[in-house]
Amino acid sequence: METIHTATAAASTTEPFTCSKCSYVGAGQASSVEQASVNDGGMMFGNARAGEMARDEAEANAWQEAMSDVAMAPCPRCGAVDRSAWIGWLLKGRTLVKLGVGLFALSFGLMMLAAIGSAGNLLSVVCAAVMGLGLVPAGIALSVLPLVRKRSSTRRVRFTPSP
């Protein structure tokens, strides 16, 4: 029998910040709370350290998110954001998987809605409508929520100017 180990970790960091547009120099304080799950593999391929691995992964994710929040935060003086930091975050594997799942759900829901016209019987029409009407908003939410969450976390970064 497999057990799923879930861990939550928090990280707070202060990172140097320099705006490339207005040359503001300071330090940004950010914090993040992340969660990770690791499957222990069951009796045959069991991993006795799965709980520790989940804690390590959650802590690493929390540190990565907190550090990237400072780099992606808008400048407190001019409001400019570092586009390369945002692009780098978007191209990370975890973010791409989340966006890919959302886009897949959206496209599958749209295909189901398009299939309503060619459905042969009432049961097919009802199934396609229910699936399509459920998957389209879910796909939109799964695609947009990671971006909204990251934007709001970068807006919570607090800055202290350098003397």
Side-chain angles (χ1 to χ4, degrees):
M1 180 173 191
E2 294 187 19
T3 304
I4 298 174
H5 298 272
T6 303
T8 303
S12 295
T13 184
T14 301
E15 298 290 322
F17 180 85
T18 304
C19 179
S20 59
K21 194 169 194 178
C22 71
S23 300
Y24 172 84
V25 177
Q29 295 102 16
S31 62
S32 178
V33 177
E34 293 294 323
Q35 185 175 6
S37 298
V38 174
N39 208 349
D40 74 354
M43 292 180 73
M44 187 109 163
F45 301 108
N47 184 355
R49 299 181 56 138
E52 184 179 334
M53 290 169 58
R55 286 189 298 274
D56 290 345
E57 185 176 341
E59 188 172 323
N61 292 343
W63 278 105
Q64 287 175 357
E65 290 301 314
M67 290 170 54
S68 69
D69 283 350
V70 175
M72 296 166 63
C75 175
R77 185 184 297 160
C78 69
V81 295
D82 186 4
R83 292 180 194 272
S84 63
W86 274 93
I87 291 171
W89 177 79
L90 283 171
L91 296 178
K92 282 182 15 183
R94 283 181 25 186
T95 309
L96 287 175
V97 167
K98 289 177 184 178
L99 295 175
V101 167
L103 292 175
F104 177 77
L106 176 64
S107 63
F108 192 71
L110 291 174
M111 286 189 328
M112 295 298 279
L113 290 176
I116 291 174
S118 63
N121 57 24
L122 183 61
L123 180 63
S124 299
V125 170
V126 170
C127 289
V130 168
M131 291 277 295
L133 291 175
L135 285 174
V136 167
I140 292 171
L142 288 172
S143 298
V144 171
L145 282 178
L147 301 171
V148 170
R149 181 175 178 244
K150 189 62 171 179
R151 184 179 184 277
S152 68
S153 68
T154 61
R155 299 304 191 255
R156 287 192 304 263
V157 174
R158 297 294 168 239
F159 291 96
T160 55
S162 293

